[in-house]
Structures are given as structure tokens and as C-alpha cells.
């Protein structure tokens, strides 16, 4: 079946239902979604033994081949499952780095300066992706990476606006309450737009509430 079609996970569940019962019979703790499965054991030695045994059973009983390239015995925080991993310090469920990198790539694509859209259009496009991402990863227990991601997205948007302002950057900063000195130093800085996007001047001119007013959702709600 082509990847992504609705029938694919249904057929996977039908075929692998027998494996679920076999793992239950053996007393293993496991989690499976379609053809992605994680089995939890007490030690690396037990992991190697169980992986070899289950791989043989799948080959013999189900006549399927386990993807050796994607399979491994490792610590829980070194593995990902459906975009999640576990915190090394035992703090709980955490969004995997790959999932964060994928969202960043989407934000970069939408906020590319070559698109020439207004900031309102950019935020409207981001809003759909961010709300969907937040709904899926909302159960995560380690929130610090999401807070950093919120900051990074706002910085990306400040950079986008700064590029749009061009030679009018000084005037735009002054209109938004930045002092003459800060506005002048920022607009005449030899640094590029990305470096300037984290300056106090741009943070003051374009605070978090500014983007919230434009409809940008936060991945982590601020505490009241």
C-alpha cells in the first residue's frame, strides 16, 4: 500500500494483531502504532535477547521482515516514538528533536523573505500549522523546549519584519517607542537581520503581545 493512505494502518493493525497477542503472552510491556513498535525491558542484555527473539518470530509466523536499519536496543531517551521521546532526567514525556526541527523547517519555509507577503498573511499560514502541532504535542510534560521554540518563532518574525522595513527600519523603531539611541544603533549596526532580531530594540518594538494580537498562537500558554 502507498504510504499515507487510510487503508494502510488498518491493514497493519489486522496483520500485527497476532503480534500484540504474542507480546502479551510473553509478558512484555510495549506500545505499537501501525507498524511502529517499542518494547520496554529492564536491561540492554534483555533488549538484545528480546529483539532477536521477536524478529525471528515475526519472520517465521507473520512472514514479515523487520527493518534492521530502523531497529535498535537503546535507552528510552535515545529513541523516538510518534514524535515523542522521554526526558533523560526522568521529567516525563518530551517532544523529540526531529519533530521540533521539522516544525522549524516549516516556519522557515512560510517566513521566507522572498515570498513578499504581509506579516498578517505569514502569521495566518503559521497559525494552522502551530495549532495542529500544539493539539498533537499538547500532552508533552517537558515544556522548556516548547518555550524556546515560541521565542525562536517570534525572533524569526522579527527578522522577517526587519527585512521588510528595509531603509525605514529606524523610523519604524521610533514609531514603536524605541529610544533615538537604540533605534540608531540597531538600524546602523553592521550585523545582519538575524543578529539584529534579538536586540533589545526589536524586542521592545515587537513584543510577544504584538504577535499574539496578530493571531500567533503560543505553544505554551503563559502562567497567569
Amino acid at each position: 500500500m502507498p504510504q499515507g493512505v487510510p487503508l494502510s494502518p488498518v491493514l497493519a493493525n489486522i496483520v500485527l494483531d497476532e503480534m500484540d497477542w504474542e507480546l502479551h503472552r510473553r509478558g512484555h510491556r510495549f506500545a505499537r502504532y501501525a507498524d511502529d513498535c517499542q518494547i520496554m525491558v529492564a536491561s540492554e542484555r534483555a533488549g538484545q535477547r528480546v529483539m532477536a527473539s521477536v524478529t525471528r518470530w515475526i519472520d517465521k509466523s507473520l512472514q514479515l521482515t523487520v527493518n534492521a536499519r530502523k531497529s535498535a536496543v537503546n535507552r528510552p531517551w535515545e529513541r523516538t516514538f510518534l514524535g515523542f521521546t522521554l526526558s533523560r532526567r526522568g521529567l516525563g514525556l518530551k517532544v523529540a528533536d526531529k519533530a521540533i526541527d521539522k516544525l522549524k523547517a516549516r516556519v522557515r519555509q512560510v517566513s521566507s523573505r522572498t515570498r513578499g507577503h504581509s506579516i498578517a498573511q505569514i502569521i495566518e499560514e503559521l497559525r494552522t500549522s502551530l495549532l495542529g502541532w500544539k493539539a498533537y504535542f499538547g500532552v508533552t510534560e517537558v515544556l522548556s523546549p516548547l518555550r524556546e521554540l515560541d521565542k525562536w518563532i517570534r525572533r524569526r518574525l522579527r527578522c522577517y519584519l526587519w527585512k521588510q522595513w528595509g531603509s525605514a527600519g529606524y523610523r519604524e523603531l521610533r514609531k514603536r517607542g524605541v529610544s533615538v539611541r537604540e533605534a540608531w544603533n540597531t538600524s546602523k549596526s553592521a550585523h545582519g537581520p538575524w543578529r539584529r532580531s534579538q536586540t533589545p530594540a526589536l524586542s521592545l518594538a515587537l513584543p510577544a503581545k504584538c504577535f499574539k494580537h496578530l493571531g500567533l498562537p503560543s505553544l505554551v500558554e503563559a502562567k497567569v
Side-chain angles (χ1 to χ4, degrees):
M1 294 298 298
Q3 187 175 10
V5 298
L7 186 57
S8 181
V10 174
L11 292 177
N13 284 332
I14 292 173
V15 173
L16 296 177
D17 180 68
E18 189 176 344
M19 186 185 80
D20 292 345
W21 286 107
E22 177 64 16
L23 294 178
H24 274 300
R25 187 186 67 78
R26 297 186 184 194
H28 292 315
R29 295 183 178 184
F30 69 96
R32 182 180 68 80
Y33 180 83
D35 62 345
D36 194 356
C37 183
Q38 302 270 341
I39 303 173
M40 279 64 73
V41 294
S43 67
E44 181 180 0
R45 184 178 179 182
Q48 297 289 356
R49 184 181 68 251
V50 168
M51 186 167 75
S53 174
V54 171
T55 299
R56 286 195 301 269
W57 183 87
I58 290 173
D59 178 63
K60 181 179 178 181
S61 300
L62 300 182
Q63 297 183 355
L64 296 173
T65 302
V66 174
N67 189 330
R69 185 175 59 85
K70 293 184 177 181
S71 302
V73 176
N74 213 331
R75 299 287 188 181
W77 52 83
E78 298 291 345
R79 303 296 293 170
T80 63
F81 184 61
L82 306 179
F84 290 94
T85 187
L86 294 177
S87 169
R88 185 167 189 158
R89 296 180 180 179
L91 299 177
L93 202 62
K94 178 183 177 183
V95 180
D97 290 341
K98 286 184 179 180
I100 291 177
D101 291 342
K102 188 175 180 180
L103 179 61
K104 281 188 171 183
R106 172 60 179 164
V107 174
R108 289 190 185 98
Q109 179 189 25
V110 172
S111 61
S112 171
R113 63 177 176 176
T114 58
R115 302 188 70 203
H117 293 340
S118 69
I119 191 65
Q121 288 176 293
I122 296 297
I123 289 178
E124 184 59 32
E125 287 189 49
L126 286 178
R127 182 177 174 81
T128 301
S129 297
L130 294 178
L131 287 177
W133 201 88
K134 183 178 180 180
Y136 181 80
F137 288 107
V139 297
T140 187
E141 297 166 299
V142 182
L143 300 179
S144 53
L146 273 61
R147 293 192 182 99
E148 291 302 313
L149 191 51
D150 271 336
K151 294 177 183 177
W152 181 87
I153 292 171
R154 290 194 294 267
R155 183 181 175 187
R156 180 78 187 180
L157 294 176
R158 290 186 186 107
C159 182
Y160 183 86
L161 274 172
W162 181 257
K163 292 172 183 175
Q164 277 201 335
W165 289 345
S167 59
Y170 174 83
R171 293 194 300 274
E172 294 292 341
L173 291 176
R174 291 290 293 133
K175 282 196 312 185
R176 289 164 172 79
V178 179
S179 69
V180 172
R181 181 178 180 181
E182 284 289 342
W184 179 262
N185 288 341
T186 303
S187 60
K188 299 303 178 182
S189 171
H191 296 307
W194 181 245
R195 282 284 296 273
R196 281 187 271 193
S197 65
Q198 66 173 348
T199 59
L202 276 166
S203 296
L204 176 62
L206 300 168
K209 64 181 181 181
C210 168
F211 296 113
K212 183 177 181 180
H213 179 72
L214 290 170
L216 181 71
S218 294
L219 300 175
V220 179
E221 297 300 332
K223 294 182 179 180
V224 179

